[in-house]
Amino acid sequence: MKRLTGFLFILFYFLYSEAQSWTMQQCMQYAIEHNHDVKRAALELDNYKAQKTGTIGKFLPEVDAGIGIQYNFGRAIDPETNGYTDVSTFYNGYQVSASLPVFDGFSRLHALKAAKASVLMGRASLRQQQDQTALDVLQAYTNVAYYEGMVKMADEKVEETELLLKQTRLLKEVGRKSAADVAQVESQKAEADYELTRQQNLYASAMLELKKTMALPNSVELKVESVEFATTLQSSTDSTAAANSTLYTLHSQLEIARYQMQVSKHEWHQARASLYPSLSLSAGLSTTYYHTLHSDAGQSFHNQIKNNMGEYVGATLSIPLFNRLQTMTNIRRAKNNYQMAREAYEQKQLELEKLSREAWQDWQGYLKQTTQMEKKVEADSITYQLTRRQFEEGLSTAIDLHTTSSQLLNSKATLLQCQLMAMVKEQLVRYYNGETIWTK
C-alpha cells in the first residue's frame, strides 16, 4: 500500500507539474518520501523493532530436537549386553529437550526495557531525519523564490530602461538631450541586461539544488508557488511560554538524547545483573533404536523406541565467583556510558533552548525589518518617479536617475530577502517547538 501510494504521488506530479505550481509543503512531502537518509532511518527503526522482538523471545523456553544415525564397523559396545562386539551395527537416536531460565538477575527485563527505548529512539531519529530533510528543502525553496523574485525585478528593469532609452533618443532628436545622456542610458540598458542574465543563471542553479534536495529528476518541470508573506508581529510572551512548554517533550533531537540515556541506563543495569546467580530449568526425553546388520534377530523398531524411552528434569544454579574482573570492567564502562548520555541530554536541552530563543528573536526582527523596508521601498519608488520626471524635463542627469533606480532595486531586493527570512525563521520557531513543519 505504501509503494502504491508513493507511485501514485509521483505519477500525479509528473503529469501535472507543468500545469500546477508546487507549494513548499508539497516539495517537503515529496522529498521526505524519496530521501535516501529518511529511508535508511526507517530501516534502522525496523532493526530496533526486530531487536525488541528478539528480546521478548528470550522470556520463552528454548526447545530443541535432534536425530542421530550411526553405523558401527569393527569392535564396538553392544548396547543390549553392554559388552564388546565385532559385528556391524546400526544405531539410531531421538531426543527432545527444553530449557527455561528462571532468574538471571533481571538481565532479560532490563534488556527488554532497553529495546523498547531503542524503538522510541529510532522513531525519534526517523522524525529528526524527516525534519532535517524538510529544513533543507525549505532553504532550497527559499533560494528559488528569492532568485525568482530577483529575475522578475531584473526583467522589469530591462523593460523600464528600454522605454527610457527610446524616450531619451526622442528627446535627443528634439534637442532636449545630448549624446552623452543617450550613452549613459544605453550603459544602464546594458547593465540591466547583464543583471537579468546573472539572476537567471542564479535562479537556474537554485532550481537544480532544489531538485537535488527533493530527489526529483531533472527532466521533470518544477514551478514553485508564490510565497505569501505575513508581517503581523506575534506576542513575544505567549510564544516564549509556548516554546518552553513544548520544547523539552516534543523536539525530536531532545527525544533522541532522552531515549539514548534510557538505553544506556538499562544497559548499565543489565551489566550489573552479571553479579547475581542465575537459575534455569531443563527437561527432555530421548530414545534409541539398535539393530545388528545382516541379522534378523532383535526387537522391532516400535518396541525399542517405546522400551528405550527416557525422561529427565533438571535445574542448574550458576554462581559467578571470578572471571578475571571482566564483570566489573563491563559495569564500569556501562555506567560511564550512561553518565555521558545524561550529560549529552542536558547539553542538548541548553542548546535547543538557546536556538529556540534565537529563532524567535530573529523572526521578530525580520518582521520589523520587513515593515520598515516596505516604507523604504515606497519612499524610494516616489523618489525614483520624481527623478525620472525631472530627467525627462532636463532638471536631472542620467547619473541621478541611475542612482535612484539602483537604490529602489536594492530596497526591493532587501525587502524580498527580509520577507523570505521571516518565513524561514517562523518555520524554525515551529521546528524548535517540536511541531512538524512539513505538514500544514
Side-chain angles (χ1 to χ4, degrees):
M1 182 60 67
K2 292 182 179 180
R3 293 182 179 179
L4 179 60
T5 303
F7 174 76
L8 294 177
F9 183 85
I10 299 174
L11 180 62
F12 173 81
Y13 281 113
F14 277 19
L15 293 177
Y16 298 99
S17 59
E18 295 184 0
Q20 298 181 355
S21 300
W22 289 44
T23 64
M24 182 174 63
Q25 280 74 20
Q26 288 174 336
C27 292
M28 289 180 178
Q29 188 67 37
Y30 181 91
I32 288 171
E33 294 182 1
H34 296 81
N35 183 268
H36 298 290
D37 292 332
V38 174
K39 293 180 180 179
R40 284 195 292 266
L43 294 175
E44 187 67 24
L45 173 59
D46 189 67
N47 286 338
Y48 288 134
K49 292 180 179 179
Q51 181 182 358
K52 177 184 175 182
T53 303
T55 306
I56 294 175
K58 293 182 179 180
F59 288 87
L60 304 177
E62 181 179 356
V63 181
D64 296 321
I67 299 176
I69 299 177
Q70 180 178 345
Y71 284 94
N72 294 327
F73 302 94
R75 190 171 179 83
I77 296 178
D78 188 347
E80 294 183 356
T81 63
N82 203 26
Y84 288 99
T85 180
D86 56 358
V87 298
S88 299
T89 58
F90 170 76
Y91 178 82
N92 189 198
Y94 303 87
Q95 64 176 0
V96 177
S97 61
S99 61
L100 176 65
V102 178
F103 179 77
D104 57 357
F106 304 105
S107 176
R108 291 172 298 163
L109 180 61
H110 289 297
L112 178 59
K113 291 181 178 180
K116 291 181 178 179
S118 296
V119 172
L120 297 176
M121 183 177 64
R123 291 176 180 172
S125 299
L126 176 59
R127 181 186 171 191
Q128 166 60 22
Q129 192 58 56
Q130 292 173 338
D131 290 340
Q132 185 59 50
T133 301
L135 290 176
D136 294 339
V137 173
L138 172 64
Q139 184 62 45
Y141 191 95
T142 304
N143 292 336
V144 170
Y146 174 76
Y147 288 116
E148 183 180 25
M150 294 300 296
V151 168
K152 292 180 180 179
M153 295 180 193
D155 187 61
E156 293 175 357
K157 183 65 175 178
V158 169
E159 295 178 356
E160 185 179 343
T161 53
E162 287 180 352
L163 180 60
L164 181 61
L165 181 58
K166 292 180 181 179
Q167 293 177 350
T168 306
R169 288 173 177 174
L170 291 176
L171 293 174
K172 177 179 178 297
E173 292 178 357
V174 298
R176 297 180 58 182
K177 293 295 179 181
S178 64
D181 293 329
V182 175
Q184 289 178 351
V185 176
E186 288 178 347
S187 175
Q188 296 178 18
K189 173 62 170 55
E191 182 181 355
D193 292 336
Y194 163 78
E195 185 64 20
L196 175 60
T197 302
R198 189 175 75 89
Q199 295 298 335
Q200 288 175 342
N201 291 334
L202 293 175
Y203 171 77
S205 299
M207 182 60 71
L208 289 176
E209 183 64 25
L210 176 59
K211 290 183 178 180
K212 174 187 174 183
T213 307
M214 293 175 55
L216 183 70
N218 292 327
S219 58
V220 179
E221 186 69 20
L222 178 60
K223 181 181 179 182
V224 299
E225 192 176 75
S226 300
V227 181
E228 296 182 359
F229 304 104
T231 58
T232 303
L233 292 176
Q234 305 294 324
S235 173
S236 176
T237 304
D238 295 342
S239 178
T240 303
N244 291 336
S245 63
T246 59
L247 172 64
Y248 300 105
T249 58
L250 298 178
H251 197 277
S252 56
Q253 291 187 14
L254 197 62
E255 286 183 341
I256 294 174
R258 181 168 61 251
Y259 292 134
Q260 181 60 55
M261 182 178 62
Q262 293 180 6
V263 171
S264 300
K265 180 180 180 180
H266 292 300
E267 289 178 348
W268 172 34
H269 292 166
Q270 186 179 2
R272 292 173 56 184
S274 301
L275 297 174
Y276 299 97
S278 60
L279 175 64
S280 62
L281 300 179
S282 60
L285 56 87
S286 62
T287 184
T288 60
Y289 170 73
Y290 173 83
H291 179 67
T292 302
L293 298 180
H294 310 295
S295 176
D296 296 333
Q299 299 181 11
S300 65
F301 178 81
H302 179 269
N303 291 334
Q304 288 195 43
I305 291 296
K306 181 179 180 181
N307 296 332
N308 296 336
M309 181 74 67
E311 300 86 7
Y312 72 91
V313 176
T316 302
L317 178 64
S318 177
I319 303 176
L321 296 178
F322 181 73
N323 63 347
R324 296 175 295 182
L325 303 179
Q326 291 300 313
T327 300
M328 302 304 299
T329 302
N330 294 336
I331 294 175
R332 183 177 180 180
R333 185 185 298 111
K335 182 179 179 180
N336 291 336
N337 291 337
Y338 166 66
Q339 292 178 346
M340 288 188 294
R342 186 175 60 182
E343 294 295 334
Y345 174 72
E346 295 176 356
Q347 181 182 4
K348 184 61 66 175
Q349 281 184 321
L350 298 176
E351 178 183 352
L352 290 178
E353 182 180 5
K354 172 180 175 293
L355 293 175
S356 178
R357 295 183 181 275
E358 285 182 351
W360 165 255
Q361 293 174 0
D362 292 342
W363 180 29
Q364 298 303 301
Y366 279 114
L367 287 177
K368 294 179 181 179
Q369 293 177 28
T370 298
T371 303
Q372 296 167 354
M373 288 306 303
E374 288 176 348
K375 298 178 181 179
K376 187 174 187 304
V377 168
E378 183 179 357
D380 290 341
S381 178
I382 296 175
T383 302
Y384 171 73
Q385 295 298 332
L386 293 176
T387 304
R388 180 169 180 175
R389 184 175 299 177
Q390 292 176 355
F391 175 78
E392 294 174 354
E393 296 175 356
L395 301 178
S396 63
T397 64
I399 297 178
D400 297 332
L401 183 62
H402 179 263
T403 301
T404 56
S405 176
S406 300
Q407 185 176 357
L408 176 60
L409 183 61
N410 292 334
S411 297
K412 289 182 177 179
T414 304
L415 173 61
L416 178 60
Q417 183 180 16
C418 291
Q419 291 173 335
L420 291 173
M421 290 304 299
M423 181 192 68
V424 171
K425 295 302 180 180
E426 179 184 5
Q427 298 299 320
L428 285 178
V429 170
R430 292 181 54 200
Y431 167 70
Y432 288 122
N433 286 349
E435 300 180 25
T436 303
I437 65 174
W438 42 273
T439 56
K440 293 184 179 180

